[in-house]
Amino acid sequence: MENWIHCHQSSGVRKMPIQIRVITIFGLAICSCCGDRETLFSIVSPNQSNIHFKNVLSETEEWGYINYYYFYNGGGVAIGDVNNDGLHDIYFTGNMVTNKLYLNKGDLKFEDVTDEAEVGGDDRWMAGVTIQQSLL
């Protein structure tokens, strides 16, 4: 199986008011609290998983929502078996931080192999990522 990681850069300008995003998140939070349901997911700490990625954004006069409407819409995450070991690996893209590739070691434990794989990225603004897997 051959794997490819594709990073997507944003282009164009589009306004999306922050109020819409806040209302959407608030609505989802309220809906998720309703009813007695069996828990499907649980929180796994970064210390347990070894995933320490944060897409930290720092606004400046040059970079910010006023000058660049996609400022808070960047980054991405893709999941796929990058090293063909049968486990799902994770690749994160950041905007003002280094991209990170984590190999799955099983039991929700991951290893940061960004430097060895040379997939940390460059200074471009990332707006998403996909992993293409094809059979040989």
Side-chain angles (χ1 to χ4, degrees):
M1 185 178 287
E2 188 174 329
N3 303 303
W4 298 93
I5 297 175
H6 303 278
C7 297
H8 306 284
Q9 297 175 334
S10 61
S11 60
V13 175
R14 187 184 86 173
K15 284 187 177 182
M16 181 177 212
I18 191 79
Q19 294 87 348
I20 291 174
R21 285 184 257 154
V22 171
I23 290 169
T24 302
I25 292 170
F26 183 71
L28 290 172
I30 288 177
C31 291
S32 68
C33 296
C34 300
D36 293 331
R37 297 184 202 155
E38 186 177 319
T39 302
L40 296 176
F41 300 98
S42 60
I43 295 174
V44 176
S45 75
N47 291 334
Q48 179 183 349
S49 67
N50 197 37
I51 294 177
H52 299 279
F53 178 82
K54 288 184 181 180
N55 189 24
V56 178
L57 302 174
S58 301
E59 286 194 61
T60 65
E61 277 189 36
E62 183 181 344
W63 281 101
Y65 182 74
I66 300 300
N67 299 337
Y68 186 65
Y69 298 120
Y70 287 112
F71 189 76
Y72 292 105
N73 296 347
V77 61
I79 298 174
D81 186 5
V82 175
N83 59 349
N84 298 318
D85 64 356
L87 299 172
H88 294 96
D89 308 307
I90 304 175
Y91 185 67
F92 294 98
T93 57
N95 302 114
M96 300 177 132
V97 299
T98 302
N99 302 333
K100 292 286 184 182
L101 175 60
Y102 292 95
L103 293 185
N104 190 340
K105 296 301 188 178
D107 295 324
L108 294 175
K109 307 256 189 249
F110 294 83
E111 177 185 357
D112 183 351
V113 296
T114 305
D115 293 336
E116 299 94 279
E118 299 179 354
V119 292
D122 51 29
D123 292 344
R124 290 180 288 176
W125 193 267
M126 299 297 162
V129 62
T130 59
I131 295 178
Q132 175 185 344
Q133 297 187 311
S134 56
L135 297 173
L136 292 176

